[in-house]
Amino acid sequence: MSELMETILHRRSIRRFDTRQIEEQALQEILQAGLYAPSAGGGQRVILAVCQDKEVNERLGRIKRANSNPRMATATNYVSREQPSIADDPNIKNAFYDAPTVITMFAPKNFLFSAEDCACVAENMMLVADSLGIGSCYLGQGWVAFSDPYGQEILKKWNIRTDYYAVMQLLLGYPREGDPHPTAKPRKTERILRF
């Protein structure tokens, strides 16, 4: 089995992060992977806003949590029992799960494939992060974190173009020591249709 395939089989979403910041060399490698992701027409439209400011990440994560209305988990319908999400546990107050690095992906508001381009960038970065021992978690609805005056102030401070919007966030950090790597759920092979 190739190393890449082993990484694909190993990678899981991490929502419990160590407080230490990821190393700069690792961050640069992860970002490079994002820059080389496929994009519609080769347009390379996605902007990556990397924030390692604990206070900003904490505040934006709380805004996102306060403005998210996920249906809470039930006995049979949940995101993760091993590492609960904000949809699973109402006691989680920071939608960024205290990750030390948060990358918000911005893309054009009026481009047909903005979300798809961001997903490709995120997948490349998540695979490289896992190969480096860094945990990651993909969060959709990125705009929610910027839905109040503080969020709008941050967009201006970061010089985000007004014709772009926050599609999603990618959380990065070392998994919390002592927490086991989430186990893979059995694959539903009936999803593959062959003709």
Side-chain angles (χ1 to χ4, degrees):
M1 186 182 302
S2 72
E3 274 186 49
L4 176 58
M5 191 63 185
E6 286 180 17
T7 299
I8 290 169
L9 296 178
H10 180 263
R11 194 215 62 79
R12 298 284 170 273
S13 292
I14 300 297
R15 294 184 191 87
R16 294 181 182 151
F17 295 97
D18 193 86
T19 56
R20 68 188 161 117
Q21 189 53 264
I22 64 174
E23 295 161 10
E24 183 62 25
Q25 184 176 348
L27 176 60
Q28 290 304 317
E29 194 171 333
I30 292 165
L31 292 171
Q32 184 175 20
L35 293 178
Y36 276 83
S39 61
Q44 302 178 49
R45 295 167 187 86
V46 178
I47 295 171
L48 307 172
V50 181
C51 185
Q52 295 183 311
D53 183 314
K54 183 177 180 178
E55 184 180 318
V56 172
N57 286 339
E58 168 89 16
R59 194 150 172 198
L60 290 175
R62 286 180 171 275
I63 292 166
K64 183 167 180 145
R65 176 64 180 102
N67 291 300
S68 296
N69 294 308
R71 280 177 263 151
M72 288 298 156
T74 66
T76 58
N77 189 15
Y78 51 88
V79 175
S80 175
R81 293 276 190 228
E82 294 170 292
Q83 293 201 6
S85 76
I86 62 170
D88 298 322
D89 185 350
N91 296 315
I92 297 172
K93 301 301 181 201
N94 179 350
F96 296 163
Y97 307 103
D98 299 315
T101 298
V102 178
I103 301 173
T104 301
M105 286 174 224
F106 294 89
K109 291 177 181 175
N110 295 315
F111 182 64
L112 185 60
F113 300 113
S114 285
E116 289 84 350
D117 282 356
C118 288
C120 287
V121 170
E123 181 68 10
N124 271 19
M125 292 195 296
M126 289 187 291
L127 291 173
V128 169
D130 188 83
S131 76
L132 298 171
I134 295 169
S136 64
C137 188
Y138 176 108
L139 302 178
Q141 301 181 339
W143 58 88
V144 178
F146 301 95
S147 60
D148 81 348
Y150 178 78
Q152 293 299 303
E153 178 184 315
I154 292 296
L155 293 177
K156 288 179 187 161
K157 182 178 178 183
W158 290 354
N159 294 316
I160 301 300
R161 297 169 46 165
T162 57
D163 59 335
Y164 271 53
Y165 76 109
V167 177
M168 50 84 56
Q169 280 91 20
L170 181 65
L171 313 180
L172 296 172
Y174 295 104
R176 195 184 314 163
E177 201 167 318
D179 276 348
H181 193 75
T183 56
K185 294 177 176 64
R187 298 295 101 175
K188 298 175 182 177
T189 55
E190 69 276 7
R191 297 180 299 151
I192 299 173
L193 306 176
R194 294 186 65 161
F195 303 99

